[in-house]
Amino acid sequence: MSDRNARNPWLNFLFEEQKRNYQMNSVEGFHGALLISQELLQHGGMYMQSHFAQACDMALKLKDHRDPAVHRAAIALLPVLARYSPQEFTRAGSGGSESMLGRACNYLITLSRASDRDRATAFLALGSIAQYCSTEFRSFLEPTTRAIRDALIQRAKMRIPPAEADETVAAVLQTIATLATAMGPALTRYMRDILDLMFTAGLSQALCDSLLVLEREVGQLQPAIQGRLLDMVSIILVGVPFRPTQQSLDDLEQRMGAMSMHYAAGANGHRANAGAATNGNGAGAGGGRDTYTVPAGDSTSLVVRAASSIPVTVDTLVLALRTLRVFDFSEENLSEFVRNDILQYLNHSSPVVRREAIHAVAHIVMADPLYR
């Protein structure tokens, strides 16, 4: 007996259980029916092909259920359906009615705007659907990115401290990365108003992961991403935004035996605070910084303001130093930045910070053509 034939009795049994649960017309029954359908779609091979329309109808009928468990299980089923059969999911209904893709995306975009509780779930579902139906999703890319922008603006207006845990921001950043993977360069035009807003939540692993995917999939954004990242990392580590090398000015300062004036205030502030602990977080030696005032009209003021508000802790310093070695900044001359500011972290009181500092310095030096 083949594996397929051996599995069919069990698949038939599960499908009958799914129908029985649904017909119970109870919260428990609906929730069980949705969970069984999800498992059958993910692990039942072609078995659910003949039951696909029924699974779609169930998800649509239960997506607005008053019980949170049923409601979220129905939403979670939507990208599973898109993955199982993208052709059926994107096909228009009989009589030219709206496709399952259209009904799902319109609902999720509306939900992402209307419900704080479900915003993260809605964005993640939209990203997954885009991944499985990338070509057909193009018509929903503009309203999806507009909803993402509005969610980030709303967070910024609430003045939530940067780097504070936020489920919605983490979901938004993950969704942007998923959209970049699914849509590639087609995403470029929609990122103009979103990129700065991504930084307003502060430096985090979720932000770095999302930006790495954006760099890889949407190469046109690399200069903008790296400029903003260097500003944020420099403010965390030094206290001032990053200044690209300006050869004529740098040569003059070198002949005068002077440190770059751009970094002098921040670096002197670091050295003046060496050995002092900061707010009990163990930032310690080399962890202090001066407060940077954003100049009026600064084009990257959103990024700079967010970075200036991030508490300097060991974890923040480690992430900032790690960012310098994870991203490819080989197009920038970071030698002055390393010499004047990063090397001091080799004397930090935290061994984790010292380790990340030496990794960052080694990575930057090895990537510099002058040292090859």
Side-chain angles (χ1 to χ4, degrees):
M1 181 182 292
S2 68
D3 290 342
R4 181 178 179 181
N5 291 333
R7 291 173 65 195
N8 275 341
W10 288 105
L11 296 175
N12 288 330
F13 170 77
L14 287 172
F15 184 71
E16 291 301 318
E17 279 294 300
Q18 179 260 319
K19 290 198 297 183
R20 186 181 68 81
N21 273 266
Y22 186 72
Q23 291 166 0
M24 288 170 59
N25 200 31
S26 65
V27 168
E28 295 80 8
F30 289 148
H31 192 218
L34 289 165
L35 295 178
I36 292 172
S37 292
Q38 182 169 328
E39 293 302 312
L40 286 171
L41 288 163
Q42 290 177 326
H43 306 293
M46 300 300 292
Y47 179 83
M48 286 294 286
Q49 192 169 23
S50 58
H51 306 296
F52 185 79
Q54 181 182 344
C56 289
D57 288 342
M58 181 170 60
L60 291 174
K61 287 177 181 177
L62 296 178
K63 62 182 171 50
D64 291 315
H65 197 279
R66 66 182 181 277
D67 182 80
V70 175
H71 169 64
R72 293 201 171 192
I75 294 174
L77 189 59
L78 295 174
V80 176
L81 290 164
R83 181 181 184 182
Y84 183 81
S85 181
Q87 296 80 10
E88 290 294 324
F89 196 80
T90 56
R91 184 176 298 164
S94 58
S97 60
E98 191 175 23
S99 67
M100 184 65 187
L101 173 68
R103 297 171 74 179
C105 288
N106 287 326
Y107 168 75
L108 292 169
I109 291 169
T110 301
L111 185 66
S112 73
R113 293 179 174 279
S115 172
D116 291 341
R117 182 188 65 181
D118 297 314
R119 185 169 290 134
T121 305
F123 279 130
L124 291 174
L126 280 166
S128 296
I129 291 172
Q131 196 171 10
Y132 306 131
C133 309
S134 56
T135 301
E136 294 80 4
F137 189 83
R138 286 178 182 270
S139 58
F140 299 98
L141 186 55
E142 192 273 335
T144 298
T145 53
R146 192 166 63 242
I148 287 173
R149 181 199 63 192
D150 292 346
L152 291 173
I153 289 175
Q154 180 180 342
R155 185 195 188 280
K157 287 181 177 178
M158 293 170 65
R159 299 187 181 277
I160 300 173
E164 186 170 299
D166 188 318
E167 181 188 15
T168 296
V169 169
V172 164
L173 294 173
Q174 183 177 336
T175 301
I176 291 171
T178 309
L179 289 174
T181 303
M183 312 308 297
L187 187 63
T188 307
R189 58 180 292 202
Y190 302 105
M191 290 301 299
R192 181 179 58 187
D193 298 328
I194 294 176
L195 191 58
D196 280 343
L197 289 168
M198 292 173 68
F199 286 85
T200 58
L203 189 67
S204 66
Q205 191 60 55
L207 175 66
C208 291
D209 291 343
S210 183
L211 293 176
L212 279 170
V213 175
L214 274 175
E215 271 199 344
R216 184 182 71 238
E217 302 294 340
V218 191
Q220 299 94 319
L221 296 176
Q222 186 180 39
I225 289 171
Q226 294 199 350
R228 287 156 175 78
L229 259 183
L230 284 172
D231 271 343
M232 180 161 275
V233 167
S234 181
I235 289 174
I236 291 170
L237 297 176
V238 185
V240 291
F242 178 76
R243 189 200 75 173
T245 299
Q246 301 176 33
Q247 197 60 49
S248 58
L249 179 59
D250 294 340
D251 288 346
L252 175 62
E253 289 172 345
Q254 187 174 10
R255 288 197 299 272
M256 296 174 63
M259 178 189 296
S260 168
M261 294 181 67
H262 178 79
Y263 291 118
N268 289 339
H270 277 284
R271 288 166 177 77
N273 291 317
T278 60
N279 58 40
N281 289 314
R289 66 173 182 187
D290 293 346
T291 301
Y292 178 75
T293 303
V294 182
D298 192 324
S299 61
T300 59
S301 59
L302 278 175
V303 178
V304 173
R305 283 195 177 93
S308 302
S309 303
I310 298 173
V312 180
T313 66
V314 166
D315 289 342
T316 306
L317 293 174
V318 166
L319 185 55
L321 291 165
R322 187 175 297 154
T323 300
L324 290 173
R325 69 176 174 85
V326 170
F327 285 82
D328 179 12
F329 294 114
S330 58
E331 296 300 315
E332 290 283 356
N333 185 346
L334 301 182
S335 56
E336 181 182 358
F337 188 41
V338 169
R339 181 173 64 252
N340 292 335
D341 297 296
I342 306 303
L343 284 176
Q344 68 173 310
Y345 282 97
L346 297 179
N347 298 319
H348 196 277
S349 60
S350 167
V352 182
V353 172
R354 295 197 298 270
R355 183 173 65 245
E356 285 299 331
I358 193 61
H359 287 328
V361 170
H363 175 80
I364 292 169
V365 169
M366 292 298 291
D368 193 324
L370 294 175
Y371 299 100
R372 291 178 185 171

